[in-house]
Amino acid sequence: MLAELPSAGVEETDAAVERARAAYPAWRAVTPGDRAMLLHRLADRLDEQLEQLAVLEARNCGKPIADARAEMGMVRDTFRYYAGAPERLLGDTIPVAGGVDMTFREPLGVVGLITPWNFPLTIAAWKMAPALAAGNTLVLKPAELTPLTALEFERIALEAGIPAGVVNVVSGPGRVCGQRLVEHPDVAKVAFTGSTEVGRGIAEAAASTIKRVTLELGGKSANLVFADADLDAAAAAAPIAVFGNAGQDCCARSRILVERPALDSFMAGLERAVTAVRVGDPLDERTEMGPLISAGQRESVGSYVGDGAPVAIRGHAPAGPGFWFPPTVLAPVSNADRAARDEIFGPVACVIPFEDEADAVRIANDTIYGLSGSIWTRDGARALRVARALETGVISINSNTSVRVSTPFGGFKQSGIGRELGPHALESYSELKNVFYAVEGV
Ligand code: NAD
């Protein structure tokens, strides 16, 4: 056993909201310069403790240590980036008759943050850093399966000088603590990352208090490979885009769409890359893919294999204890198949052949989701044409990456509402206030 923790209930959640509410006036009044300095100090503390946090995160959810280290680097960088924000929360002056009109960005108050188990501290940081920079206090509810780094973060925030009550972590069940945050009248906004199903319920429950809501939900993203692409590069990059974090990634490009003339050549490259993925002990530096998060997740992922589409490629997975699942490619798959429609959230990719550009766009958009995606082609005009035609929030051309601290991240359609990261996230943690000052003769 890794750790034994108390499980919070409604009473503890209410107490955390009360602490955040009590801390809000003083935090809001901290000057922009001092708030920036405190966030920089927090980034410094995170940097000093990066290795311990990375090991804790790797053990928290079974992700490879190299990935956990990169993620903790992103956590630090997210606080560093938003440390620049308090002094740049600018308003406008608007020409009107009879006076001076100006806008201000005001904090919301107490915000409730609800996060999933796949990137525990990273996704929490995407929410906490802009929330704090904009002058809010917060209550974070991490996923039940992975609360450890969030709890450790609360300690580090205090150590960095963030006043008590500004950052509060409650670890407990979603249906109890999460639900209470969504319904609590003193919580001004809920920022949620998780499944589309739970997100739908949160949007409904938030309606009763007209709470601000941002939702980062599921995905079923497409990786479009055109015949004129660098097929070796596309095949070499495809596994990490779907098997990274053992496929438990909302951005996983789990539908690989391949133009028919390139299919054989691409599949040969894909087989080489998939069978080379090193699956094993998360604390081994060479490991590229760890186990799944739970027995339930393994069972759910397994239900998509042997359920219609043929298994074309199967990678390696260790025997023995642990929720292992080998990297698996189903091919050929129809976009109507269950495996191509559901977010499997495990290391299972579907290869779907297409005939031409229009067919590729039609298949890629034929999903309820719209989170990320990739386009592989040497034709620049086509790359931009297809990028504009795809109904998805984040697209990479000749690359499989999705997330950067300084650029917006979020989904179209049922992948969510709102954007995280970049300057755009700040807007969702603040209200716009308009002030008119009557001045004779202006
Ligand atoms: P989940 O929806 O089951 O849980 C997410 C969080 O919500 C957890 O903290 C959980 O305790 C809480 N929760 C559960 N029921 C609740 C309720 N009724 N009220 C309030 N909170 C409640 O998701 P998960 O299984 O932890 O994570 C996997 C899902 O997250 C996948 O669908 C994945 O695509 C999605 N995800 C999306 C993004 C993104 O940025 N778009 C990123 C990572 C994960």
Side-chain angles (χ1 to χ4, degrees):
M1 194 204 310
L2 188 53
E4 207 168 331
L5 298 170
S7 179
V10 168
E11 212 175 294
E12 289 81 6
T13 309
D14 284 355
V17 172
E18 183 47 38
R19 279 197 302 278
R21 208 178 62 78
Y24 174 62
W27 180 243
R28 186 196 162 144
V30 171
T31 64
D34 285 350
R35 205 181 301 146
M37 185 267 294
L38 284 167
L39 292 176
H40 272 302
R41 208 186 274 166
L42 179 50
D44 291 343
R45 295 284 96 79
L46 289 165
D47 192 47
E48 285 161 18
Q49 297 173 53
L50 192 144
E51 189 60 24
Q52 298 96 293
L53 274 174
V55 172
L56 188 62
E57 192 75 307
R59 303 185 74 198
N60 202 16
C61 47
K63 64 175 68 222
I65 182 66
D67 292 358
R69 209 173 275 132
E71 286 174 28
M72 294 310 104
M74 190 185 204
V75 169
R76 173 204 55 210
D77 294 347
T78 304
F79 281 94
R80 190 74 78 203
Y81 177 79
Y82 286 107
E87 291 169 301
R88 291 182 183 75
L89 278 173
L90 305 180
D92 295 314
T93 54
I94 303 172
V96 292
V100 177
D101 195 281
M102 56 204 133
T103 63
F104 294 86
R105 284 256 158 224
E106 306 281 12
L108 299 167
V110 178
V111 295
L113 315 177
I114 304 175
T115 50
W117 45 257
N118 56 346
F119 297 100
L121 193 57
T122 312
I123 288 176
W126 297 355
K127 301 180 190 313
M128 291 192 288
L132 295 175
N136 305 282
T137 56
L138 63 89
V139 179
L140 166 66
K141 199 219 75 70
E144 296 87 316
L145 292 171
T146 55
L148 298 181
T149 42
L151 291 165
E152 188 62 1
F153 177 88
E154 186 179 347
R155 185 192 63 72
I156 296 172
L158 281 172
E159 194 183 289
I162 305 285
V166 171
V167 172
N168 306 275
V169 178
V170 280
S171 170
R175 282 179 194 283
V176 181
C177 304
Q179 184 85 23
R180 180 62 187 150
L181 282 179
V182 179
E183 289 169 354
H184 202 298
D186 291 337
V187 174
K189 170 192 165 130
V190 165
F192 170 79
T193 297
S195 59
T196 295
E197 194 189 342
V198 173
R200 195 172 289 123
I202 285 179
E204 280 172 21
S208 66
T209 49
I210 315 290
K211 218 170 239 74
R212 280 81 188 119
V213 179
T214 46
L215 302 172
E216 297 293 346
L217 308 176
K220 189 72 189 179
S221 299
N223 188 357
L224 281 67
V225 181
F226 286 91
D228 69 351
D230 179 340
L231 294 179
D232 289 342
I240 201 63
V242 55
F243 303 135
N245 213 42
Q248 304 164 123
D249 181 349
C250 51
C251 290
R253 281 119 167 105
S254 52
R255 291 183 300 149
I256 307 176
L257 277 50
V258 185
E259 198 168 12
R260 209 172 278 281
L263 196 56
D264 289 347
S265 164
F266 179 80
M267 286 303 286
L270 188 62
E271 178 155 19
R272 281 192 296 278
V274 171
T275 50
V277 173
R278 288 190 296 270
V279 185
D281 179 357
L283 295 179
D284 183 332
E285 296 286 342
R286 292 162 307 168
T287 293
E288 294 172 307
M289 191 180 118
L292 295 172
I293 188 78
S294 65
Q297 191 67 13
R298 185 173 56 179
E299 196 179 319
S300 159
V301 172
S303 76
Y304 290 90
V305 178
D307 181 42
V311 175
I313 305 170
R314 205 120 217 235
H316 310 291
F323 310 123
W324 302 104
F325 202 95
T328 302
V329 178
L330 308 177
V333 178
S334 153
N335 200 51
D337 291 349
R338 177 172 160 258
R341 303 214 73 78
D342 295 357
E343 182 185 42
I344 298 177
F345 225 55
V348 178
C350 299
V351 173
I352 305 171
F354 69 83
E355 306 303 331
D356 56 23
E357 189 179 310
D359 196 32
V361 170
R362 182 189 59 75
I363 296 171
N365 286 341
D366 179 17
T367 166
I368 60 166
Y369 298 111
L371 191 54
S372 67
S374 289
I375 301 162
W376 293 82
T377 177
R378 287 190 170 98
D379 180 340
R382 169 156 59 197
L384 288 177
R385 217 167 36 235
V386 173
R388 295 298 305 272
L390 292 180
E391 297 161 352
T392 182
V394 181
I395 299 174
S396 307
I397 297 166
N398 297 330
S399 154
N400 279 335
T401 56
S402 294
V403 180
R404 288 172 189 79
V405 171
S406 55
T407 63
F409 173 75
F412 281 27
K413 304 197 282 190
Q414 293 189 33
S415 286
I417 299 174
R419 292 293 177 270
E420 304 213 274
L421 299 172
H424 309 81
L426 280 170
E427 289 172 16
S428 73
Y429 288 97
S430 58
E431 288 282 15
L432 192 59
K433 180 182 284 172
N434 191 71
V435 176
F436 173 73
Y437 194 156
V439 179
E440 243 177 86
V442 172

